[in-house]
Amino acid sequence: MSTPSIHRYCVIMCGGVGSRFWPYSREDCPKQFIDFLGTGRSLLQMSYDRILPIVPKENIIVVTNEKYAGLIREQLPDILPSNILLEPARRNTAPCIAWAAYHIAALDPEASMIVTPSDHLITRENVFEDCVRRGFEFVESHDALLTLGITPVRPETGYGYIQIGQEAEPGILKVKTFTEKPNLELAKVFLDSGEFFWNSGIFLWKASSIISALHKYDADLTCLFDRGVSDFGTPREMEFINANFTSCPPNSIDYAVMEKADNVYVECVNFGWNDLGTWSALYDNSPCNEVKNVAQNCNVLAYESTGNMFAVQSPDKLVVVQGLNDYIIADAGDVLLICPKAEEQRIKQMVTDAKLSFGDKYL
């Protein structure tokens, strides 16, 4: 195994609340901190593990909300305290990535970086390593913003799509267009065309390249960060962030930069990726029994019931159902959720309704 380059960095974005996985995912312990697959490692820990062969341990940075500092230290004890960047407020991915890029550039002007969510599932980790190394080599030799595009296997309406253009080198192509979450008819057209890939939300670039792109396409954001440029990489950095970060307008890196820039490329990959964004996605990635029921952490007696997702945080609990097909049954402490898989997009609204009716008690 080759030694990771000292100029390569990883930024793990770890600030989301994962409301679509309620009631397992809660404000005080979102889904990235949960061992959904029964492997003994949370999604965050798996994200950290898979990047270790590629990036030096001391160059792995986690950006998270300040309320999760304790969970990060508990789950990733090897992370340097200075490599945990604590956001004082949630502002989406553009401010998160901007801060990380300014921080890294102050430490190492030659740095290249991969930005990855903390809550995705990747099953073919050796292929992932090869793809990331190739991506690093490309961005280190080009002024390029690279995203990893996943070969689509179905007309998915919950993902963004990338249309490919001219090939820059084998497996890496210019991006023509981005399309956010198309309807089913359009998703079928995309799949049949062979020109579209899912947007994984995993990015590679030089720190200097993304800062330059942010200056060009999101001047309001860089104007704010430029005021503290002499503070980054010093003990004054956190003071600057605490005083200014909440002034950042919430925006995603896709809207802020990727959909506007003219130096965006996609590496087309197939490494067993799933964003594990929903209970149905977890169902699809879990072993099921002969009647296609999935039981996570519980015993089940199911009569005339198929295609269900059972998830119970009390391993001694027995779940007994009769006549239930294609449902989510999730029992977590003080909340029991029973919802058809076909209606799970309503879970976010259920969380909102629970807050309106009961305050933060069940969040």
Side-chain angles (χ1 to χ4, degrees):
M1 184 185 297
S2 59
T3 303
S5 166
I6 61 170
H7 297 299
R8 291 180 179 175
Y9 290 74
C10 174
V11 175
I12 301 176
M13 297 183 293
C14 191
V17 294
S19 60
R20 288 179 294 175
F21 264 113
W22 185 77
Y24 260 45
S25 184
R26 306 284 187 105
E27 279 279 352
D28 61 349
C29 189
K31 71 167 184 171
Q32 60 267 28
F33 299 108
I34 299 172
D35 174 16
F36 274 108
L37 301 174
T39 63
R41 302 290 278 174
S42 70
L43 295 174
L44 167 64
Q45 290 169 318
M46 292 168 71
S47 299
Y48 176 81
D49 294 345
R50 80 172 65 99
I51 210 69
L52 269 179
I54 311 167
V55 170
K57 180 169 63 176
E58 59 273 17
N59 289 3
I60 299 176
I61 291 166
V62 178
V63 186
T64 189
N65 189 273
E66 57 187 14
K67 71 189 298 181
Y68 304 134
L71 280 169
I72 298 289
R73 296 187 189 104
E74 177 185 326
Q75 294 203 358
L76 301 178
D78 292 340
I79 285 274
L80 295 172
S82 58
N83 283 9
I84 304 174
L85 305 187
L86 300 176
E87 297 175 321
R90 292 188 176 96
R91 287 296 181 267
N92 211 326
T93 55
C96 163
I97 289 170
W99 179 15
Y102 274 79
H103 175 85
I104 290 168
L107 301 175
D108 181 358
E110 298 178 51
S112 54
M113 54 195 278
I114 178 172
V115 179
T116 179
S118 59
D119 55 2
H120 289 183
L121 175 66
I122 289 171
T123 56
R124 302 170 66 197
E125 296 195 344
N126 289 339
V127 178
F128 172 80
E129 282 184 35
D130 292 341
C131 293
V132 171
R133 292 184 199 280
R134 180 169 59 173
F136 266 124
E137 290 168 4
F138 181 75
V139 300
E140 286 162 359
S141 58
H142 298 80
D143 178 24
L145 309 177
L146 182 68
T147 183
L148 301 188
I150 309 297
T151 306
V153 294
R154 61 183 182 275
E156 173 63 54
T157 60
Y159 297 156
Y161 284 72
I162 301 163
Q163 185 181 19
I164 57 174
Q166 196 167 12
E167 189 173 68
E169 59 180 56
I172 297 179
L173 303 100
K174 199 82 162 55
V175 169
K176 269 189 186 178
T177 61
F178 285 89
T179 302
E180 269 301 306
K181 298 180 180 177
N183 61 33
L184 183 60
E185 291 72 25
L186 193 54
K188 288 177 179 176
V189 172
F190 287 175
L191 184 66
D192 292 342
S193 75
E195 291 185 13
F196 289 82
F197 289 75
W198 289 336
N199 184 1
S200 69
I202 302 172
F203 308 102
L204 293 101
W205 41 54
K206 292 193 287 282
S208 57
S209 294
I210 189 60
I211 291 172
S212 175
L214 283 163
H215 273 104
K216 188 172 182 180
Y217 300 107
D218 196 346
D220 290 342
L221 185 60
T222 51
C223 181
L224 187 151
F225 278 100
D226 284 346
R227 293 204 301 267
V229 73
S230 62
D231 295 327
F232 289 102
T234 79
R236 301 185 305 275
E237 180 173 338
M238 208 57 231
E239 182 181 346
F240 172 81
I241 289 296
N242 285 333
N244 292 279
F245 194 82
T246 53
S247 300
C248 297
N251 200 2
S252 74
I253 197 67
D254 292 296
Y255 287 122
V257 172
M258 302 301 282
E259 295 180 11
K260 302 172 186 173
D262 56 9
N263 60 334
V264 179
Y265 294 81
V266 57
E267 181 180 359
C268 302
V269 300
N270 188 6
F271 44 57
W273 172 89
N274 194 297
D275 78 342
L276 277 192
T278 62
W279 284 110
S280 288
L282 181 60
Y283 173 90
D284 291 339
N285 285 276
S286 301
C288 59
N289 65 11
E290 65 278 2
V291 291
K292 302 200 179 307
N293 289 324
V294 170
Q296 288 275 357
N297 200 38
C298 61
N299 295 314
V300 175
L301 289 176
Y303 303 91
E304 296 87 48
S305 301
T306 65
N308 298 298
M309 175 79 225
F310 298 94
V312 177
Q313 283 187 338
S314 303
D316 295 329
K317 183 171 287 190
L318 171 65
V319 182
V320 184
V321 299
Q322 190 273 329
L324 209 59
N325 298 310
D326 299 313
Y327 266 73
I328 300 156
I329 302 94
D331 185 2
D334 53 3
V335 178
L336 168 64
L337 171 75
I338 303 172
C339 173
K341 284 194 292 187
E343 297 289 329
E344 69 176 337
Q345 72 277 5
R346 298 177 63 182
I347 291 177
K348 290 185 81 168
Q349 184 59 49
M350 295 172 190
V351 174
T352 300
D353 293 343
K355 183 176 179 64
L356 288 172
S357 298
F358 307 106
D360 293 337
K361 180 177 181 180
Y362 298 112
L363 305 187

